[in-house]
Amino acid sequence: MKKCCKDSEGWQGKFHGYGYRMTVAREVILDLLSNTDKHMSAEDIYMKIHETHPNIGLTTVYRTLEVLSDMALVFKLDIGDGRARYELAESPKKPNHHHHLVCTGCRKIVDYSDFIDQEVKLLQDTEKGLSKKYNFKITNHLIQFYGLCGACSARA
Amino acid sequence: MKKCCKDSEGWQGKFHGYGYRMTVAREVILDLLSNTDKHMSAEDIYMKIHETHPNIGLTTVYRTLEVLSDMALVFKLDIGDGRARYELAESPKKPNHHHHLVCTGCRKIVDYSDFIDQEVKLLQDTEKGLSKKYNFKITNHLIQFYGLCGACSARA
DNA sequence: CTATTAATGGAAATGATTGTCATTAATAAC
DNA sequence: GTTATTAATGACAATCATTTCCATTAATAG
């Protein structure tokens, strides 16, 4: 009996741990996000996987992204236009911690990891202080800089 | 001839500087945001001002908030549910720089300004570095921590 | 005070996301 | 491997925040 998914990354156990099943759609979407450095919207993802898996619907893409966010495999990102973007979360196997620099003109997103070390250090301290003072269980943070990229700046 | 608006804060000139007119709706909304520490959505604002100005429509609220954001009098805030919130931007007259701690359970927002000094220092350096390296004209930044507040944590 | 034109309001349109429900497929039990 | 169980799916409809349209009103210039 053929297994549903090849599970090359060892994700199956993780799905089971959360009480989820491993399915083709979930694997395809994880694969796609694993192999891009873009910040794709649900529709971007739908269009891309539609090329090879025309049977996967947009609704499923949305639901899958929600599941993956819930499992913290994927990070949902909001850059201020009305549509969410998704990127693979960092993991021990694939450390890629970065923050975002967003052009408010063309919505270009630059991932930067310069300065990250000091930022992370400060964030950890802040997180600890905030947790205690406000009794929050902090799960993650968002840092974004907004501005105009060179092209948009020139165009303005 | 009666002037449209009392302009107690000296906003009129600022509107004119941007080529906008000073109107009742704009003044009322600015007043409201000046006197609250809440993070109100467009609809919250509409409902509130509707009590005293039932002739101001929701569409105008949206348009006004866009104008005010454009003038940097108001800051548009996104906390991850599908609706934007607005708060008065900090100004020399009313310095209130803070960042946000957002409960992903109940969407409660805590404004904190602890640790702000170190954060601001680091952010300025980062901003300068990023500006140069990526040729961005950075206009603002967003820092948010996400987690569960005490109540939601207990409930979970 | 009148002319000009931005601003407005209400209704309709848009567009991302979510809900519904009958069908399919992944896993568990045998 | 076969069957039973139940989560996951897909197509469509529904929702809901935000925008667009357009005829009317009101802020400012002259």
Side-chain angles (χ1 to χ4, degrees):
Chain A
M1 170 207 194
K2 189 158 60 66
K3 287 282 288 291
C4 149
C5 305
K6 61 181 189 302
D7 188 29
S8 47
E9 313 278 341
W11 284 317
Q12 180 135 16
K14 184 136 195 177
F15 277 99
H16 288 184
Y18 277 84
Y20 292 126
R21 291 177 181 177
M22 178 78 166
T23 69
V24 177
R26 291 171 183 178
E27 193 197 15
V28 169
I29 292 174
L30 266 177
D31 266 343
L32 173 57
L33 289 177
S34 297
N35 293 307
T36 185
D37 56 352
K38 297 208 185 75
H39 305 82
M40 305 179 84
S41 68
E43 184 137 23
D44 292 338
I45 293 169
Y46 168 73
M47 305 259 269
K48 184 65 185 171
I49 66 178
H50 192 79
E51 295 169 7
T52 52
H53 293 78
N55 51 321
I56 296 178
L58 181 55
T59 305
T60 296
V61 172
Y62 273 105
R63 274 185 301 225
T64 299
L65 289 169
E66 193 185 339
V67 165
L68 297 179
S69 295
D70 183 46
M71 293 167 66
L73 284 175
V74 155
F75 185 67
K76 183 177 181 176
L77 176 64
D78 207 311
I79 64 166
D81 60 352
R83 101 191 44 189
R85 316 298 174 98
Y86 300 84
E87 62 181 8
L88 200 68
E90 87 181 310
S91 71
K93 287 178 187 168
K94 191 174 181 178
N96 64 335
H97 194 67
H98 61 268
H99 292 149
H100 300 287
L101 183 51
V102 179
C103 177
T104 52
C106 63
R107 302 288 166 189
K108 186 172 75 163
I109 303 174
V110 174
D111 292 353
Y112 74 89
S113 48
D114 319 279
F115 316 102
I116 276 289
D117 292 345
Q118 302 107 290
E119 283 184 15
V120 166
K121 171 86 178 63
L122 177 58
L123 289 173
Q124 283 171 344
D125 293 347
T126 304
E127 204 167 300
K128 189 176 298 180
L130 291 176
S131 278
K132 172 171 287 187
K133 176 160 181 181
Y134 298 106
N135 188 29
F136 258 67
K137 190 166 296 173
I138 295 177
T139 52
N140 59 41
H141 62 255
L142 178 67
I143 294 197
Q144 276 167 204
F145 284 92
Y146 293 94
L148 286 178
C149 70
C152 288
S153 216
R155 189 180 313 127
Chain B
M1 169 205 193
K2 190 157 59 65
K3 286 282 288 293
C4 150
C5 305
K6 60 181 188 307
D7 189 27
S8 47
E9 314 276 341
W11 283 319
Q12 179 135 15
K14 184 136 193 176
F15 277 100
H16 287 182
Y18 277 85
Y20 292 126
R21 292 177 181 175
M22 177 79 165
T23 69
V24 177
R26 291 172 183 177
E27 193 197 16
V28 169
I29 292 174
L30 265 178
D31 267 343
L32 172 57
L33 290 177
S34 296
N35 294 307
T36 185
D37 57 352
K38 298 208 184 74
H39 306 82
M40 305 178 84
S41 68
E43 185 138 24
D44 292 338
I45 293 169
Y46 168 73
M47 305 258 270
K48 183 66 184 168
I49 66 178
H50 192 80
E51 294 169 8
T52 53
H53 293 78
N55 51 322
I56 297 177
L58 180 56
T59 304
T60 297
V61 173
Y62 273 106
R63 271 184 303 224
T64 299
L65 289 169
E66 191 185 341
V67 165
L68 298 179
S69 295
D70 183 45
M71 293 167 66
L73 285 175
V74 155
F75 186 68
K76 184 177 180 178
L77 176 64
D78 207 312
I79 64 165
D81 59 353
R83 99 191 44 191
R85 317 298 174 100
Y86 299 84
E87 63 182 9
L88 200 68
E90 89 181 309
S91 71
K93 288 179 189 167
K94 190 172 182 179
N96 65 334
H97 195 66
H98 61 267
H99 292 147
H100 300 286
L101 182 53
V102 179
C103 176
T104 51
C106 63
R107 301 287 166 189
K108 186 171 75 160
I109 303 175
V110 173
D111 291 354
Y112 73 89
S113 49
D114 319 278
F115 316 102
I116 276 289
D117 291 347
Q118 301 108 295
E119 283 185 14
V120 166
K121 170 86 179 66
L122 176 57
L123 289 174
Q124 283 172 344
D125 293 348
T126 304
E127 203 167 302
K128 188 177 298 181
L130 291 175
S131 277
K132 173 172 285 187
K133 177 160 181 182
Y134 298 106
N135 187 31
F136 259 66
K137 190 165 298 176
I138 295 177
T139 52
N140 59 41
H141 62 254
L142 178 68
I143 293 198
Q144 276 167 203
F145 285 91
Y146 293 93
L148 286 178
C149 69
C152 287
S153 216
R155 190 180 313 127

